[in-house]
């Protein structure tokens, strides 16, 4: 049962530029409800505590993370989350728990979901002309989280809030179906387009509050507050281009964006002069996003043309050098997508020429080696990358990949055991890779326990339970059996907790 579909979200999200919110959830009935999905009690009966809101968000993400539009690239994810957490730390009232992910979608938009999950479209990243513009939008979304606008919207007694709650409950219910996550996506019935009209939009007051607070967060995080004003200008322009003067988006958001832009400009005028943060990394993430969102050969060619154009800039200075290097990197990345290793190498050399060292260039060099099946080279370069850029998960993943490709599973196990301890919550894929090597060396029981950890981290509890139950049948060792029993009980307890949560949605 497919509950959450990022592709659908694109259509709905484009209706409210940078305002967000859970648009896809409004499609509730169109998605079909899983068997046994709860009917909905009065919204006031639901106490939407932060923990409960988080659980609902996680349930949506169980499906969301497997959506083709979801970007699992560790560099993009690490970049967005580092930016988001830096800003969240400056939110009034303490840092909210947030998780930011990239969405493969050319529409200029970002959105907040229940529980602090924030999606940022590649179209937004590509559409910005400076890091502060991107940070401005992220700061706005963080403010929706901090101010609990979603929970506030959901507990209002409106028809759309009831629909949204029903959908959220359905997402939790779907995550509890045995085999969830192993089944191919069910055919979703998208017939009821009219339901989209009933989206739960944030009120104008909520938007203004998020603008004001986002502005403060942006400033305190040392990003240029002009970025936010420029972004609203961009949004007004994009709405204009997308829809034309008679279109719905233009009419509904254009005056608002202009108003928001001048509000920002007024605030900026009152600030003392300061120097601002601007990272090199932004340009590499932007180039990568441009390629990632090009899903067919024609779009990929256009993306490459655009980046060729950027390499031809005659600007001088260190900022221009970075932008040129990032554009060459993007061209190399696109060539690798097409498996054109010669062009990937050539463009990478251009990117490296005269540019300061960058982890993006080093990762690209390793990916070219992996594609050329030069695993020995990929291994040495990954090891060097981990030393040179400590704290970057992309090198860890590549080292494990190279070890496995070389058949060095024992080494891979030792390495991954150490790295899973280090990265625990942030890279579940490491557990999946560890299980693969454990399976290969015949550690079948442990392999299933590791897979159970992976599924549990992904929120796929029934799948985790199935792995543990299977492992239980594969061993006669009393000590391991009782260890498994403990793990099985803990997963069952979590499933029961979700069931109880569902009960609360029933009248
Ligand atoms: Zn908003």
């Amino acid at each position: 049962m497919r509950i959450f579909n990022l592709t659908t979200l694109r259509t709905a999200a484009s209706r409210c530029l940078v305002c967000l919110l859970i648009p896809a959830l409004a499609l509730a009935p169109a998605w079909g409800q899983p068997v046994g999905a709860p009917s909905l009690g009065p919204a006031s009966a639901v106490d939407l505590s932060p923990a409960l809101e988080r659980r609902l968000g996680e349930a949506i993400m169980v499906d969301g993370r497997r959506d083709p539009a979801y970007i699992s690239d560790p560099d993009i994810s690490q970049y967005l989350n580092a930016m988001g957490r830096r800003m969240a730390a400056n939110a009034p009232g303490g840092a909210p728990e947030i998780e930011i992910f990239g969405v493969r979608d050319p529409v200029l938009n970002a959105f907040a979901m229940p529980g602090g999950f924030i999606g940022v479209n590649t179209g937004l990243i590509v559409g910005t002309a400076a890091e502060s513009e991107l940070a401005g939008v992220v700061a706005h979304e963080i403010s929706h989280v901090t101010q609990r606008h979603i929970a506030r919207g959901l507990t209002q007694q409106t028809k759309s809030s009831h629909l949204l709650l029903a959908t959220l409950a359905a997402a939790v219910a779907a995550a509890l179906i045995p085999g969830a996550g192993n089944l191919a996506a069910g055919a979703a019935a998208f017939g009821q387009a009219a339901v989209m009209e009933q989206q739960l939009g944030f009120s104008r007051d909520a938007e203004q509050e998020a603008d004001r607070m986002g502005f403060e967060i942006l400033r305190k995080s040392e990003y240029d507050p002009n970025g936010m004003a420029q972004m609203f200008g961009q949004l007004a322009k994009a709405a204009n281009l997308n829809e034309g003067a008679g279109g719905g988006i233009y009419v509904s958001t254009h005056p608002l964006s202009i108003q928001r832009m001048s509000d920002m400009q007024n605030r900026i005028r009152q600030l003392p002069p300061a120097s601002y943060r601007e990272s090199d990394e932004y340009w590499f993430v932007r180039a990568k996003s441009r390629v990632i969102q090009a899903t067919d050969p024609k779009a990929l060619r256009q993306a490459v043309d655009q980046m060729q154009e950027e390499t031809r800039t005659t600007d001088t200075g260190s900022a221009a050098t970075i932008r040129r290097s990032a554009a060459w990197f993007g061209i190399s990345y696109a060539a690798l997508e097409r498996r054109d290793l010669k062009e990937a190498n050539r463009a990478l050399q251009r990117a490296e020429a005269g540019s300061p060292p960058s982890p993006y260039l080093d990762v690209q060099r390793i990916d070219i080696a992996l594609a050329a099946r030069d695993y020995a080279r990929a291994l040495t370069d990954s090891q060097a990358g981990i030393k040179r850029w400590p704290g970057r998960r992309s090198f860890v993943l590549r080292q494990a990949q190279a070890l496995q490709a070389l058949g060095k599973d024992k080494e891979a196990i030792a390495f991954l055991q150490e790295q899973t301890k280090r990265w625990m919550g942030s890279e579940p894929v490491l557990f999946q890779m560890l299980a693969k090597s454990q399976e290969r060396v015949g550690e079948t029981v442990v392999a299933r326990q590791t897979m159970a950890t992976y599924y549990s981290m992904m929120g796929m509890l029934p799948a985790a339970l199935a792995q543990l139950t299977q492992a239980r049948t594969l061993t006669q060792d009393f000590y391991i059996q009782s260890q498994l029993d403990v793990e099985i009980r803990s997963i069952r307890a979590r499933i029961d907790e979700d069931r109880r949560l569902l009960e609360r949605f029933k009248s």
Side-chain angles (χ1 to χ4, degrees):
M1 183 64 59
R2 190 157 208 84
I3 284 299
F4 179 56
N5 184 323
L6 292 172
T7 313
T8 317
L9 194 122
R10 164 198 344 181
T11 324
S14 62
R15 298 172 58 86
C16 44
L17 293 162
V18 186
C19 340
L20 154 49
L21 82 48
I22 11 182
L25 302 185
L27 293 171
W31 293 344
Q33 300 227 339
V35 181
S39 61
L40 192 71
S44 59
V46 181
D47 170 27
L48 209 56
S49 69
L52 176 52
E53 197 192 320
R54 179 80 185 174
R55 182 66 198 99
L56 294 174
E58 274 166 2
I60 300 166
M61 291 305 290
V62 172
D63 247 22
R65 287 197 187 92
R66 294 194 312 277
D67 192 296
Y70 176 84
I71 298 173
S72 58
D73 181 280
D75 285 322
I76 291 186
S77 157
Q78 243 185 323
Y79 170 76
L80 291 174
N81 281 297
M83 169 190 267
R85 283 174 192 150
R86 188 185 306 128
M87 290 200 285
N90 289 314
E97 198 176 353
I98 57 162
E99 185 178 324
I100 310 187
F101 55 95
V103 180
R104 191 192 312 268
D105 186 330
V107 172
L108 200 73
N109 205 14
F111 51 90
M113 300 199 310
F117 294 95
I118 295 171
V120 175
N121 283 2
T122 46
L124 180 80
I125 302 173
V126 172
T128 54
E131 187 172 41
S132 56
E133 295 183 12
L134 175 61
V137 176
V138 173
H140 173 97
E141 299 303 330
I142 289 174
S143 305
H144 280 312
V145 174
T146 314
Q147 297 312 102
R148 304 205 65 219
H149 286 155
I150 294 169
R152 270 153 57 183
L154 282 175
T155 46
Q156 274 160 14
Q157 295 279 357
T158 63
K159 201 173 168 189
S160 55
S161 68
H162 281 236
L163 267 176
L164 283 164
L165 275 172
T167 312
L168 291 167
V172 177
L176 288 175
I177 295 169
N182 298 329
L183 299 172
F190 293 111
Q192 306 177 37
V195 184
M196 277 175 58
E197 300 300 319
Q198 300 167 347
Q199 285 172 49
L200 170 72
F202 287 148
S203 68
R204 217 175 162 118
D205 284 350
E207 289 304 335
Q208 275 169 356
E209 189 176 40
D211 283 352
R212 267 198 308 276
M213 183 171 287
F215 181 85
E216 278 310 303
I217 291 175
L218 193 66
R219 195 180 59 76
K220 279 190 191 141
S221 310
E222 293 166 6
Y223 287 107
D224 185 354
N226 279 298
M228 207 158 179
Q230 273 148 14
M231 203 58 223
F232 286 126
Q234 280 256 47
L235 287 170
K237 214 163 64 188
N240 195 0
L241 286 175
N242 285 346
E243 293 290 310
I249 292 182
Y250 179 80
V251 171
S252 63
T253 67
H254 181 82
L256 188 57
S257 292
I258 298 291
Q259 174 64 41
R260 287 161 88 180
M261 187 167 66
S262 56
D263 283 356
M264 283 303 141
Q265 283 162 342
N266 284 337
R267 254 172 243 148
I268 291 163
R269 271 193 281 277
Q270 292 155 18
L271 292 176
S275 63
Y276 300 114
R277 177 197 296 274
E278 189 86 52
S279 79
D280 294 353
E281 209 180 338
Y282 160 77
W283 295 101
F284 289 92
V285 167
R286 185 170 172 269
K288 202 172 195 178
S289 301
R290 198 189 280 286
V291 178
I292 286 179
Q293 76 178 11
T295 47
D296 61 75
K298 188 179 162 222
L300 196 59
R301 265 199 309 278
Q302 281 170 348
V304 170
D305 287 349
Q306 183 69 43
M307 292 184 294
Q308 293 279 11
E309 189 65 39
E310 287 177 19
T311 63
R312 284 194 280 269
T313 166
T314 50
D315 294 357
T316 52
S318 61
T321 307
I322 296 296
R323 287 204 297 277
R324 245 192 313 272
S325 171
W328 278 117
F329 160 76
I331 293 167
S332 173
Y333 189 78
L336 191 57
E337 291 273 290
R338 300 192 311 267
R339 314 296 285 176
D340 182 349
L341 302 191
K342 208 174 146 207
E343 170 65 3
N345 250 317
R346 188 191 72 90
L348 180 57
Q349 275 164 13
R350 297 294 301 268
E352 285 169 338
S355 161
S358 159
Y360 288 80
L361 301 180
D362 289 355
V363 165
Q364 180 68 4
R365 171 91 35 230
I366 297 167
D367 283 348
I368 293 173
L370 284 169
R373 297 172 182 267
D374 187 352
Y375 302 124
R377 165 97 198 254
L379 180 58
T380 15
D381 285 1
S382 303
Q383 285 162 335
I386 290 176
K387 286 207 186 80
R388 192 179 196 184
W389 309 103
R392 294 205 72 98
R393 301 201 299 271
S394 39
F395 293 101
V396 172
L397 288 161
R398 277 149 184 97
Q399 177 162 338
Q401 204 182 330
L403 284 169
Q404 288 184 332
L406 289 164
K408 297 183 172 186
D409 284 298
K410 288 229 163 83
E411 264 182 68
I413 290 171
F415 173 68
L416 283 165
Q417 273 169 341
E418 186 194 315
Q419 296 297 329
T420 45
K421 272 184 216 129
R422 179 164 179 215
W423 292 109
M424 204 54 194
S426 35
E427 200 62 85
V429 169
L430 293 173
F431 285 91
Q432 203 179 22
M433 294 179 95
L434 176 58
K436 184 178 163 189
S437 280
Q438 286 167 335
E439 190 76 46
R440 280 204 198 150
V441 300
E443 295 180 13
T444 45
V445 176
V446 184
R448 276 164 187 76
Q449 279 176 291
T450 308
M451 269 316 277
T453 308
Y454 166 75
Y455 283 131
S456 151
M457 287 168 76
M458 299 287 282
M460 297 151 78
L461 300 180
L465 187 61
Q467 290 289 326
L468 293 171
T469 318
Q470 225 178 57
R472 182 74 168 73
T473 65
L474 293 173
T475 177
Q476 306 300 321
D477 185 309
F478 177 74
Y479 174 74
I480 297 173
Q481 280 181 343
S482 37
Q483 190 191 16
L484 283 164
D485 287 339
V486 172
E487 290 173 35
I488 288 170
R489 271 201 297 278
S490 138
I491 296 285
R492 283 218 171 104
R494 283 173 63 192
I495 292 177
D496 287 345
E497 206 177 299
D498 280 353
R499 290 217 174 97
R500 278 197 296 278
L501 189 144
L502 279 176
E503 287 299 313
R504 292 170 58 188
F505 282 91
K506 294 181 187 170
S507 44

